[in-house]
Amino acid sequence: MTSRHVLVLAAALAATFVVPAAAQDTIKIGSSLGLTGYGSITDGHWREGLELAIEAVNAKGGVLGKTLQLVHEDNKSIPQQAVVVYRKMMSEDKVVAFDSGCISAGNFAAASFVTRAKLPMMLCSILPQQAEEQKWAFSFLPPPKFEVDSRYEYLKSKTDIRKVGILGDPSPYGSLMRKFAIDDAKEFGIEVVANESYQQEDADFSVQMGRINAAGAGAVIMIGQGNAVITVAKNIKSLGLDKMLLLGSVNERDLLVEAGQVLGERYLFPSPIIQVAIDDLGLITDPKARAAAEAFITPLKAKHGGKVDTSMSSRAWDSLLMLTQAMQAAKTTEGTAVRDAVEKIGPYVGAGASYDFSPTQHVGITRNPYVIAYVKDGKLAIKHDGR
């Protein structure tokens, strides 16, 4: 065999055992998102925030000398499908961590086997219910209590309304918020006189609104996101309930504006300050928070324009930046080390909120971030800042 033949054979054998450079130089982050179904708007914005953050991190050299890659799968807003896509990303894509959307039931369904694999989960949703699963999950969602209490505090301090009706969806997040709405009412001198439910696919809420009105409620505390709030606003108007207030949940900017155009200032809602301040960062008075918001809003507007919702996407941006900061601090992508590093980050001023994770605190937002907002001239405006 000639020397040339030996070299060719050696090269061929070496190629058989070489891992592609792209695989060696890439860190994959998985994300289970409800890109179709009832969570599509919310989780679509979560994806936008993740993509912007990954672009920003890669523009600065990536993490640990490697490029970040987002692997996202559509769970169709269905828990069973979430299990499928989580398993796929773990077995086929070999992701090292998750940064998933707001479908609580889907994240709950997958949490047990993600925990066994020791993969950190950064979540838009509330934490899983089991204590062992909570050790691996970090929630970037403001506690449901904050969203409820902001509305009650407004009613107590700015109105004479002391009787309310609840209208809520049956999701895990909705059920938890409903419990707070019932339990916390007395603290604010509020009486819950009606407790109604709805499904995401319902096309009319006149019956529920009629019962809430007949019970003597002066305001509706609506629990649930999505297009349903527009239908409720139209029902209130068509039923001639001219004095009733609708205090909705946190929602997408376009939906807030559309509902506000129906009811005007009688439609109020809790809003993170960045959602209101997208057109005027001067509304954010803390210099660190304003700088963090500007670092996010500048690339957001450059890529998507000025009408993109910032409530979800800003927290997605924060979650990804904190995950990569933890990897840098741990000097590895190994799950346990990264989880521990997230717990050690300490107070963090982000674009969407301020966070403070610890070994015993895996809900990062510990101070109420909401103002009460309304729609004025097609834009969001602050009605009351009770923070």
Side-chain angles (χ1 to χ4, degrees), residues 62-311:
V63 178
L64 303 174
K66 299 182 179 182
T67 300
L68 280 183
Q69 178 184 345
L70 178 66
V71 179
H72 63 78
E73 296 286 345
D74 182 10
N75 60 40
K76 306 183 190 303
S77 304
I78 300 172
Q80 295 87 338
Q81 185 63 22
V83 170
V84 173
V85 302
Y86 265 104
R87 289 193 184 280
K88 183 262 182 186
M89 288 184 280
M90 291 169 62
S91 62
E92 297 181 22
D93 299 304
K94 309 296 183 185
V95 300
V96 300
F98 286 101
D99 197 321
S100 291
C102 308
I103 309 301
S104 300
N107 293 329
F108 287 8
S112 60
F113 59 83
V114 175
T115 294
R116 287 195 296 272
K118 297 184 177 181
L119 298 180
M121 302 172 72
M122 316 296 264
L123 300 176
C124 169
S125 71
I126 57 178
L127 292 175
Q129 296 174 327
Q130 302 302 315
E132 187 62 29
E133 297 167 359
Q134 292 177 1
K135 294 178 182 178
W136 291 90
F138 297 88
S139 174
F140 286 77
L141 181 71
K145 178 179 173 64
F146 290 164
E147 190 176 331
V148 170
D149 288 0
S150 293
R151 289 179 272 184
Y152 281 162
E153 193 276 332
Y154 173 79
L155 289 177
K156 179 182 178 180
S157 63
K158 298 298 180 179
T159 78
D160 295 326
I161 295 172
R162 295 297 179 264
K163 293 183 179 181
V164 302
I166 295 172
L167 178 64
D169 72 17
S171 68
Y173 180 73
S175 298
L176 182 58
M177 193 182 298
R178 187 193 296 266
K179 182 179 185 303
F180 283 118
I182 294 171
D183 294 346
D184 291 4
K186 291 183 180 179
E187 176 185 342
F188 294 88
I190 302 291
E191 180 184 358
V192 177
V193 295
N195 188 357
E196 299 287 336
S197 297
Y198 72 93
Q199 299 293 330
Q200 288 289 340
E201 60 271 19
D202 289 349
D204 185 82
F205 305 93
S206 297
V207 173
Q208 294 99 316
M209 293 310 307
R211 287 197 289 256
I212 290 173
N213 180 58
V220 178
I221 303 296
M222 187 170 180
I223 296 171
Q225 298 177 334
N227 293 303
V229 68
I230 299 170
T231 306
V232 173
K234 290 178 178 178
N235 288 158
I236 290 175
K237 186 172 183 179
S238 65
L239 290 170
L241 306 179
D242 297 332
K243 295 184 179 181
M244 183 170 285
L245 300 184
L246 173 58
L247 280 79
S249 285
V250 171
N251 219 326
E252 302 302 313
R253 181 177 174 175
D254 289 347
L255 301 180
L256 297 172
V257 171
E258 188 170 350
Q261 289 172 338
V262 175
L263 284 183
E265 292 190 31
R266 290 195 293 128
Y267 174 52
L268 302 161
F269 45 88
S271 174
I273 188 67
I274 193 172
Q275 191 179 38
V276 182
I278 185 171
D279 297 313
D280 183 7
L281 287 175
L283 294 173
I284 305 176
T285 56
D286 178 75
K288 289 185 177 180
R290 186 166 58 249
E294 185 174 11
F296 162 71
I297 285 179
T298 299
L300 178 78
K301 285 187 172 181
K303 186 172 183 178
H304 297 290
K307 294 186 178 181
V308 175
D309 187 85
T310 54
S311 176

